[in-house]
Amino acid sequence: MPVVLGLAVLGVSGEESSRPRAVRTRFPTPDLPIAVAELGPVAAEEDACGRLQGVVDRVAGVGGGVVFLHAGVYPLRGPLVIREGVTLRGDRDAAGTAGTATVLAVDERAGETEGVETLCLERGSGIRGIHVWYPRQRLDAVIPYPWAVGTSEQKGGDNVTLVDVTLVNAYRGIRIGPEWNELHTLRNVSMTALDTGISADTTTDIGRLDGVRIGPEAWENSGLPGAPSPGSAALREYLLRSAVGLDIGRSDWEYIHGIRAHGLRVGVV
């Protein structure tokens, strides 16, 4: 991987630049990614949260843009706020193979379900091409965690976007609301969620759920350590006993297309 001038990339650091530039990705993309900042994984880094938050905040401060995370594993031991106007984008192949892609490895607040989500989306922010993985999660002793992704109570509202995102083995996946929100877009989102996949509530204008898949495959096919084998009977038994796919509360207007929620206790509420 080449050294990218501007920010810490594979352990190399320099003066930050806020000038947008084209990104050289590992995998083919349907577009030309343009980023304001680029980061790479740092060997033996125990927590990337402070580094990522600092860059997100600085990009938001110059008006927003894309923060590009090159392929690799980024440990998160605390919540991360994606500021207004900022998109956190990773690198992944068309098949969504986690083992060679951009992975956020979450290890924070294990055993808890309350409190802020790990990835908090302010209005006008987004996540694209990212895998979220819980390395300590095990089927024989399932660990509760707070929501993996959620909308900001302080700066919520319009236009949060998740595209080409995989939640490998979340306990609770994506929370939209219950604070007022409008115009969310979830497209090509896959997950294995051990409690609830998506909760959407108090959407007062057009939300879009397009190509959402909730079931055992995201974890089984991830290629990450500790993943159940494909066709795992234990995982299917757990999901059939415990998991809810999509829970929709108040929605004044929602386009729902291409949803696959299967192998769960409840598919859609």
Side-chain angles (χ1 to χ4, degrees), residues 86-175:
V86 175
T87 292
L88 196 66
R89 179 166 180 175
D91 200 353
R92 59 184 263 162
D93 61 20
T97 307
T100 57
T102 301
V103 178
L104 302 181
V106 179
D107 187 11
E108 58 113 14
R109 292 177 292 166
E112 301 180 21
T113 56
E114 302 304 317
V116 299
E117 51 286 324
T118 297
L119 299 172
C120 178
L121 292 167
E122 293 187 346
R123 64 189 177 215
S125 67
I127 303 172
R128 180 172 181 177
I130 299 281
H131 291 74
V132 181
W133 171 48
Y134 293 77
R136 287 207 287 157
Q137 191 60 270
R138 294 293 182 271
L139 265 180
D140 56 357
V142 169
I143 303 171
Y145 286 91
W147 290 97
V149 181
T151 49
S152 169
E153 294 182 7
Q154 290 74 35
K155 208 168 186 178
D158 292 346
N159 293 301
V160 299
T161 301
L162 290 92
V163 176
D164 300 335
V165 170
T166 299
L167 307 183
V168 174
N169 56 349
Y171 185 74
R172 291 179 175 170
I174 300 168
R175 177 191 63 79

Side-chain angles (χ1 to χ4, degrees), residues 213-217 236 239-240 245 260-267:
R213 297 172 296 281
I214 307 172
E217 292 83 4
R236 282 160 169 72
L239 295 176
L240 281 170
R260 177 174 171 80
H262 74 108
L264 312 172
R265 180 176 64 85
V266 176

Side-chain angles (χ1 to χ4, degrees), residues 180-264:
W180 163 81
N181 65 91
E182 296 181 339
L183 301 167
H184 55 263
T185 297
L186 277 62
R187 187 172 72 245
N188 192 27
V189 172
S190 302
M191 71 182 74
T192 299
L194 300 172
D195 180 75
T196 304
I198 297 172
S199 173
D201 195 7
T202 322
T203 300
T204 53
D205 200 4
I206 311 168
R208 292 169 172 84
L209 307 178
D210 184 11
V212 174
R213 297 172 296 281
I214 307 172
E217 292 83 4
W219 194 6
E220 291 177 341
N221 299 332
S222 67
L224 292 168
S229 58
S232 165
L235 177 56
R236 282 160 169 72
E237 288 171 4
Y238 184 91
L239 295 176
L240 281 170
R241 183 175 65 249
S242 304
V244 174
L246 177 61
D247 185 353
I248 297 182
R250 172 183 167 177
S251 180
D252 293 359
W253 194 344
E254 190 93 29
Y255 291 127
I256 301 178
H257 174 261
I259 304 299
R260 177 174 171 80
H262 74 108
L264 312 172

